[in-house]
Amino acid sequence: MKPVLIIRTGRAPAPIRARHGDFPHWFRVGAQLEPQRMRVVDVEAGERLPPPGDVAGALITGSAAMVTERAAWSERTAGWIRDAMDAELPLFGVCYGHQLMAHALGGRVDYLPGGREIGTVTIQMLDAARNDPLTGKLPTEFRAHATHEQSVLELPQGATVLASSSRDPHHLVRYGAQAMSAQFHPEFNADVMRAYIDRKHHDMRREGFDPHHTFRQVAPTPLARRLFRQFSRHHGLAAG
């Protein structure tokens, strides 16, 4: 059986890792992957990705890096994404992974107008989501955790937006039958979201946001996680 690839584009800050674990663990739990079937490749550290045909699917993590930096490892991963799309490999990108997929396929990524989006946000499903095999049964609104400074400002040709927030019109995007991406974090739990808000406390104040209010508004996001799990199951990547 082919492995499920986790493309690691970064890592959680050390204090968060020490208490809550790191991206591969959150992705495994959120997407219900079998540990023995996972293969983690740390592209930020220079590790090489296998050919798309050697894996069953790939999940792309978030990162503290910026897609607009055009780092060599990031651009190599963008090329791999294009090859994976040609091979019709199941792909799900999250945050940086979401932005990198859009960039790789011809979209434009840059800083989100108005500053960062952080906290538990309301995601609104769009009309296109009603007929999607993974989002058709979701309610018109659900909660999700988010923390990002950059965003997908222009979509690649042929991409379909499935959901948005009040701040970001491109929170959930489908690129074809096998590939989608989310700006929000379906792998986060509420404790992880609170830890990120704590860490960004001073930045938020400097930018005119109230971190205490944002912290108090953190809530569970079961439907965001369910979407992640459904993608994994739909494409035969999940345990069971």
Side-chain angles (χ1 to χ4, degrees):
M1 187 176 290
K2 293 179 179 179
V4 179
L5 185 64
I6 294 181
I7 301 176
R8 182 176 188 157
T9 64
R11 59 195 63 237
I16 295 178
R17 292 201 307 271
R19 186 165 184 179
H20 301 288
D22 206 353
F23 299 157
H25 170 69
W26 302 343
F27 271 62
R28 180 185 68 77
V29 173
Q32 290 190 333
L33 304 177
E34 296 177 356
Q36 65 272 22
R37 198 179 170 198
M38 281 174 47
R39 178 177 176 186
V40 180
V41 174
D42 189 341
V43 291
E44 188 187 35
E47 294 181 2
R48 295 177 62 86
L49 288 161
D54 289 355
V55 297
L59 310 178
I60 311 170
T61 75
S63 178
M66 298 294 175
V67 168
T68 55
E69 294 170 350
R70 303 286 183 94
W73 64 264
S74 185
E75 292 298 291
R76 284 195 298 270
T77 306
W80 187 92
I81 289 169
R82 290 189 287 272
D83 291 342
M85 288 293 295
D86 289 343
E88 298 185 340
L89 186 73
L91 295 175
F92 196 112
V94 172
C95 197
Y96 189 94
H98 161 77
Q99 297 165 18
L100 187 59
M101 284 179 67
H103 165 69
L105 301 175
R108 183 170 70 90
V109 174
D110 213 325
Y111 284 90
L112 181 67
R116 76 181 70 236
E117 182 179 43
I118 185 168
T120 305
V121 301
T122 298
I123 303 297
Q124 294 96 24
M125 304 305 295
L126 305 181
D127 288 344
R130 295 176 183 172
N131 298 319
D132 189 274
L134 295 185
T135 60
K137 294 183 179 180
L138 287 173
T140 56
E141 291 186 351
F142 65 93
R143 293 180 300 200
H145 302 310
T147 174
H148 63 114
E149 295 180 68
Q150 293 198 337
S151 182
V152 176
L153 300 189
E154 294 179 11
L155 292 171
Q157 185 175 1
T160 301
V161 184
L162 301 178
S164 63
S165 73
S166 61
R167 293 287 318 285
D168 190 333
H170 304 141
H171 250 287
L172 185 65
V173 177
R174 180 172 283 286
Y175 304 95
Q178 303 285 87
M180 63 194 310
S181 65
Q183 181 58 66
F184 60 84
H185 284 273
E187 80 283 15
F188 275 19
N189 61 29
D191 288 337
V192 169
M193 185 72 260
R194 292 186 186 100
Y196 270 91
I197 294 168
D198 274 341
R199 182 170 177 80
K200 298 295 185 181
H201 182 278
H202 295 296
D203 292 334
M204 292 173 69
R205 282 206 173 280
R206 189 181 66 248
E207 295 169 6
F209 299 110
D210 181 353
H212 297 297
H213 174 77
T214 303
F215 189 95
R216 290 193 299 270
Q217 295 300 307
V218 172
T221 58
L223 294 180
R225 180 161 291 205
R226 189 174 85 184
L227 173 66
F228 202 29
R229 186 169 65 242
Q230 285 177 332
F231 177 89
S232 189
R233 287 179 175 174
H234 183 76
H235 293 290
L237 310 180

